[in-house]
Amino acid sequence: QVQLVESGGGLVQAGASLTLSCAASGRTFSAYAMGWFRQAPGKEREVVAVIGSTRTYYADSVKGRFTISRDNAKNTVSLQMNSLKPEDTAVYYCAVRRFFSTAVVDYANWGQGTQVTVAS
């Protein structure tokens, strides 16, 4: 059974940085796509960044500010978030799937989420 546990959220001022981490367990994920998604109050869940074995995707809203990385030996995926803006405020979720996709509906395995709040 796949388990995902996110950590690293918090309350920061605009312009600050945060790093989110997700620990995955239940199988070997080196060939899996691992992604970060977020959901703001009253909005639908959206993709932030996805990393596969050969490619990486970033939403336009975070390009140049966020960096996704993975450590296959530790089964972890991280999201380095720089120059945070109030509009980045959301619950951030980690998700994995066998094949690369940026569509929320394609992911069945989710973590519990971690809150990121950016104050102006």
Side-chain angles (χ1 to χ4, degrees):
Q1 182 176 356
V2 174
Q3 289 191 320
L4 304 168
V5 179
E6 301 99 334
S7 61
L11 170 63
V12 297
Q13 294 293 316
S17 298
L18 271 179
T19 299
L20 305 182
S21 295
C22 173
S25 61
R27 61 192 61 182
T28 300
F29 294 95
S30 58
Y32 276 58
M34 306 181 81
W36 286 96
F37 300 77
R38 66 186 181 187
Q39 188 165 17
K43 295 187 177 181
E44 293 187 351
R45 194 168 298 188
E46 62 179 8
V47 63
V48 175
V50 178
I51 185 167
S53 56
T54 60
R55 55 177 160 163
T56 304
Y57 168 87
Y58 292 95
D60 287 344
S61 59
V62 306
K63 279 182 182 176
R65 300 189 298 123
F66 291 11
T67 302
I68 189 170
S69 61
R70 63 191 296 165
D71 186 333
N72 289 332
K74 296 181 179 179
N75 270 354
T76 58
V77 59
S78 298
L79 186 68
Q80 173 68 43
M81 305 185 294
N82 298 327
S83 303
L84 282 162
K85 304 175 180 179
E87 51 264 44
D88 294 319
T89 295
V91 177
Y92 283 70
Y93 298 90
C94 171
V96 299
R97 76 185 300 267
R98 180 61 182 87
F99 299 104
F100 193 95
S101 174
T102 61
V104 173
V105 295
D106 286 344
Y107 288 79
N109 297 297
W110 295 89
Q112 82 289 348
T114 185
Q115 176 71 47
V116 172
T117 303
V118 184
S120 58

